[in-house]
Amino acid sequence: MEKIFFTFKIPDEGMLLLKGYEVTGNTQDRFLSKKEIIEGAKNCSALITLLSDKIDSEVIVSLPRLKVIANYAVGFNNIDIETARQRGVRVTNTPGVLTDATADLAFGLILATSRRIVESDRFVREHRFNGWKPDLFTGPSLADKNLGIVGLGRIGKAVAIRAKAFGMKVVYHNRKPMLPEEEEALGVRHMSLEDLLRISDFLSLHVPLTAETRHMLNEKRISMMKREAIIINTARGALIDEEYLIKALRDGRIAAAGLDVYEEEPFISQELLDLPNVVLLPHVGSATHEARRAMSIMVGRNVAAVLEGKEPPNVVV
Ligand code: GLV
Ligand code: GLV
């Protein structure tokens, strides 16, 4: 019987699809070390992973029976795709089912940062609310503001739809612009990244992390932005040079940031924690009950397909 190893417990729905196999894994509430993953997955044909597991070439090469790595995430920058490809190991992800969840959270961060919701909540809890005042926690309105979306894929488009409902003007930058009729249907306009940075009042990132996109928001690019601009990141932390972002937030080079992801997750620097103009979330973009169940089912289907010798539904390689 073929064996499957999971590095962390995921919802049951997908695991129920794997009943015909010998399934073992980590049932503790802690992440496994590389050594533990290699040891645990020895002789396994399938490995179910989280985005917090680094599946590098050493792991892949150490598991000669491996046929599939099923990541419980849409992003797969935690996996050495090239080594997997060379060794004929399939890699799968969970696209689509977490689009709305992630777009909701990105929009939640737009609202939370602009209307200073978290700061206001802290203020109330500290018993400092002593009456209505004209300037208490004021912030920018959303209507007629420019939202710049970098990466208008599934999630970026879902954010655009939400933004239009709030009366925002949506501009975007993609490596390859959409067709004019698609732009018209969605009510969005393509721009060079530089032009987009210059006009955005809100900037939301929705590109995958690759060697090319790492630090795409660096000092030079952040310096092009308006001082009133607010940066939202629900994609991957390393898209932004976090050290410079902190400096820009501290010096008032930009107004605020809403972050769900960090450069060296789960490490978050004390400087970032000390800033009042940031909302910090623990990578919960896809954390709806529905998305997580659907992600689990996709993982189950992907693993089952490969083990049955079929093409998995969600192929990375
Ligand atoms: C979450 O960050 C994911 O990639 O699914
Ligand atoms: C992310 O890759 C998406 O689903 O748009």
Side-chain angles (χ1 to χ4, degrees):
M1 192 189 286
E2 288 196 283
K3 293 184 184 169
I4 300 168
F5 185 78
F6 57 90
T7 64
F8 206 97
K9 204 176 155 353
I10 65 169
D12 289 335
E13 282 82 352
M15 304 309 277
L16 293 174
L17 303 175
L18 302 172
K19 278 195 158 152
Y21 300 98
E22 187 179 327
V23 184
T24 59
N26 169 32
T27 51
Q28 299 172 53
D29 184 23
R30 69 175 185 91
F31 300 113
L32 299 183
S33 67
K34 190 199 289 199
K35 206 164 149 250
E36 288 172 313
I37 293 175
I38 293 172
E39 191 54 37
K42 205 169 54 187
N43 300 324
C44 286
S45 308
L47 179 60
I48 297 172
T49 54
L50 303 188
L51 59 90
S52 18
D53 300 315
K54 194 166 160 50
I55 307 300
D56 59 13
S57 63
E58 188 189 342
V59 177
I60 298 171
V61 168
S62 303
L63 301 171
R65 299 218 181 153
L66 199 59
K67 293 182 183 167
V68 56
I69 302 165
N71 215 31
Y72 183 64
V74 67
F76 45 81
N77 56 290
N78 57 308
I79 300 171
D80 183 338
I81 298 301
E82 207 31 61
T83 302
R85 190 199 312 272
Q86 281 164 16
R87 313 223 4 138
V89 175
R90 307 307 301 265
V91 176
T92 66
N93 67 340
T94 63
V97 293
L98 44 68
T99 300
D100 285 325
T102 308
D104 285 347
L105 196 81
F107 214 83
L109 284 172
I110 290 175
L111 289 167
T113 47
S114 61
R115 302 305 300 275
R116 303 167 64 185
I117 292 174
V118 180
E119 232 183 311
S120 300
D121 175 272
R122 277 194 293 261
F123 176 86
V124 172
R125 288 172 200 272
E126 288 164 5
H127 304 285
R128 292 164 63 197
F129 179 41
N130 58 14
W132 190 93
K133 287 178 192 158
D135 62 351
L136 191 60
F137 289 111
T138 52
S141 68
L142 301 188
D144 294 325
K145 295 290 162 58
N146 293 322
L147 168 64
I149 296 181
V150 183
L152 202 72
R154 281 178 294 252
I155 298 171
K157 282 181 188 160
V159 172
I161 290 166
R162 285 153 178 75
K164 300 298 283 185
F166 280 77
M168 300 183 87
K169 296 179 186 147
V170 182
V171 293
Y172 77 100
H173 176 76
N174 270 4
R175 253 183 328 188
K176 193 167 164 281
M178 298 193 305
L179 298 171
E181 48 271 34
E182 286 181 296
E183 291 189 353
E184 202 175 321
L186 205 56
V188 300
R189 197 151 55 93
H190 188 262
M191 276 190 180
S192 71
L193 182 57
E194 282 66 30
D195 286 345
L196 178 132
L197 293 171
R198 286 193 190 95
I199 73 153
S200 290
D201 300 295
F202 294 83
L203 183 78
S204 194
L205 303 181
H206 299 286
V207 290
L209 176 63
T210 63
E212 269 168 50
T213 60
R214 181 173 294 273
H215 282 198
M216 74 185 308
L217 228 51
N218 55 16
E219 172 166 359
K220 181 164 162 257
R221 297 235 172 88
I222 292 175
S223 301
M224 294 174 180
M225 298 180 68
K226 298 183 184 177
R227 297 186 88 87
E228 304 79 35
I230 295 180
I231 294 177
I232 306 298
N233 190 4
T234 54
R236 284 294 180 270
L239 296 172
I240 307 181
D241 174 350
E242 196 171 280
E243 199 179 322
Y244 184 72
L245 176 70
I246 292 167
K247 190 166 152 28
L249 286 161
R250 194 192 306 122
D251 299 347
R253 269 293 306 123
I254 56 162
L259 306 175
D260 186 40
V261 289
Y262 306 89
E263 193 160 351
E264 299 290 343
E265 256 167 58
F267 169 79
I268 301 180
S269 77
Q270 192 59 46
E271 287 114 300
L272 198 49
L273 295 170
D274 288 342
L275 288 172
N277 50 344
V278 292
V279 174
L280 305 173
L281 303 181
H283 202 149
V284 288
S286 68
T288 63
H289 305 305
E290 292 81 359
R292 292 286 164 84
R293 280 197 291 267
M295 289 163 67
S296 172
I297 290 169
M298 286 177 107
V299 162
R301 287 189 182 145
N302 284 320
V303 169
V306 175
L307 298 188
E308 287 162 19
K310 298 185 193 137
E311 188 67 5
N314 312 104
V315 182
V316 175
V317 289

